[in-house]
Amino acid sequence: MKNLTVFVCLVVMTLVSMTFAQTDNQLCSTEKAQGWKLLFDGKTSTGWKSNRGKGFPDKGWEIKDGILSVLSKERGGDIITTEAFENFELTLDVKLTKGANSGIKYFIQEGNGVGCEFQVLDDDVHPDAKLGVNNNRQFGSLYDLIPAQNRELNPIGEWNSVRILVDGGHVEHWLNGKLVVKYDRFCPCFRQLILHSKFKDKTDFATFKTGHILLQDHGDTVSYRNIKIRPF
């Protein structure tokens, strides 16, 4: 009887695990009703392309087991959504390897990799974490502009949840359910921040009405899943 009980428990745990796994890269009925769209179906590169070419990179990116990963040292280049967005709520999960660097950029113009960036970085190892001003290059920050506050990071090798909200000039970065950055990209104080950043010579930085979502290839292995967007 004891062995049977153990067997039943293992079966139940396996079924529960399979149920949760099947929810990755899918939309529930409530999400569909709210206008959410999948940006990654877990199986194909549909909806994504190279930022420097017509198709999806033939190296440097891997789709496996429902996960989209940029691979170390293969340098396939940044990828962008084929669709551009104006006002939106974007959510996704990201997992870092030790010492890795990547980024989630928005309002990107095709062929140009410069834009607002939700920094994705191993703060403990990567040297970029110590550059910039007031930790404004650490995980969750608006890269080189506004440092993330009130962060709760999961360890390297575990998933972190990201949420980016854009409503006109109002922008929010969320990390693991906590608001870590908030700004107005059209206010004068934000323009002053740009003038004191590495983007000071980019006169059109963060001014575009619409743009693509970009996942950055920085030569390190970083994984993404559950990439969803709700345009409004």
Side-chain angles (χ1 to χ4, degrees), residues 10 13 19-20 54 67 71 89 105 119 129 153 157 163 171 186 191 198 200 202-203 215:
L10 288 173
M13 290 171 64
T19 299
F20 280 108
K54 293 182 179 179
I67 296 171
L71 303 177
E89 181 179 3
K105 300 185 182 183
Q119 171 75 311
L153 294 173
R163 175 176 178 254
V171 183
F186 297 139
R191 307 319 298 178
K198 66 183 293 184
K200 59 182 180 295
K202 308 293 183 182
T203 56
L215 299 181

Side-chain angles (χ1 to χ4, degrees), residues 97-169:
T97 55
K98 186 175 180 179
N101 183 5
S102 183
I104 305 153
K105 300 185 182 183
Y106 43 103
F107 291 113
I108 293 297
Q109 306 305 294
E110 187 171 351
N112 184 347
V114 177
C116 302
E117 177 181 352
F118 186 113
Q119 171 75 311
V120 175
L121 190 77
D122 179 356
D123 296 340
D124 293 332
V125 176
H126 199 284
D128 212 31
K130 296 179 175 61
L131 301 177
V133 179
N134 297 325
N135 301 323
N136 65 8
R137 293 190 180 185
Q138 294 189 356
F139 200 154
S141 298
L142 176 63
Y143 175 74
D144 207 54
L145 290 164
I146 302 175
Q149 306 288 338
N150 193 35
R151 301 183 310 162
E152 288 188 7
L153 294 173
N154 292 327
I156 299 301
E158 295 186 11
W159 293 101
N160 288 275
S161 65
V162 168
R163 175 176 178 254
I164 300 172
L165 177 68
V166 175
D167 187 359

Side-chain angles (χ1 to χ4, degrees), residues 9-165:
C9 288
L10 288 173
V11 170
V12 170
M13 290 171 64
T14 300
L15 290 173
V16 169
S17 176
M18 290 174 63
T19 299
F20 280 108
Q22 290 171 352
T23 63
D24 287 338
N25 308 307
Q26 295 184 27
L27 297 176
C28 67
S29 56
T30 300
E31 289 174 319
K32 291 178 181 178
Q34 292 173 341
W36 285 89
K37 301 169 57 176
L38 277 180
L39 287 181
F40 173 55
D41 62 14
K43 301 175 182 178
T44 71
S45 61
T46 300
W48 295 89
K49 65 178 290 295
S50 168
N51 191 33
R52 300 290 182 179
K54 293 182 179 179
F56 194 80
D58 57 8
K59 66 175 183 178
W61 290 86
E62 176 184 70
I63 297 172
K64 183 179 180 181
D65 298 329
I67 296 171
L68 172 64
S69 298
V70 55
L71 303 177
S72 174
K73 299 182 175 60
E74 292 195 22
R75 302 314 296 261
D78 301 339
I79 59 173
I80 61 171
T81 54
T82 55
E83 186 177 352
F85 302 95
E86 183 175 354
N87 298 318
F88 60 87
E89 181 179 3
L90 173 74
T91 62
L92 56 82
D93 300 327
V94 60
K95 181 169 62 174
L96 285 163
T97 55
K98 186 175 180 179
N101 183 5
S102 183
I104 305 153
K105 300 185 182 183
Y106 43 103
F107 291 113
I108 293 297
Q109 306 305 294
E110 187 171 351
N112 184 347
V114 177
C116 302
E117 177 181 352
F118 186 113
Q119 171 75 311
V120 175
L121 190 77
D122 179 356
D123 296 340
D124 293 332
V125 176
H126 199 284
D128 212 31
K130 296 179 175 61
L131 301 177
V133 179
N134 297 325
N135 301 323
N136 65 8
R137 293 190 180 185
Q138 294 189 356
F139 200 154
S141 298
L142 176 63
Y143 175 74
D144 207 54
L145 290 164
I146 302 175
Q149 306 288 338
N150 193 35
R151 301 183 310 162
E152 288 188 7
L153 294 173
N154 292 327
I156 299 301
E158 295 186 11
W159 293 101
N160 288 275
S161 65
V162 168
R163 175 176 178 254
I164 300 172
L165 177 68

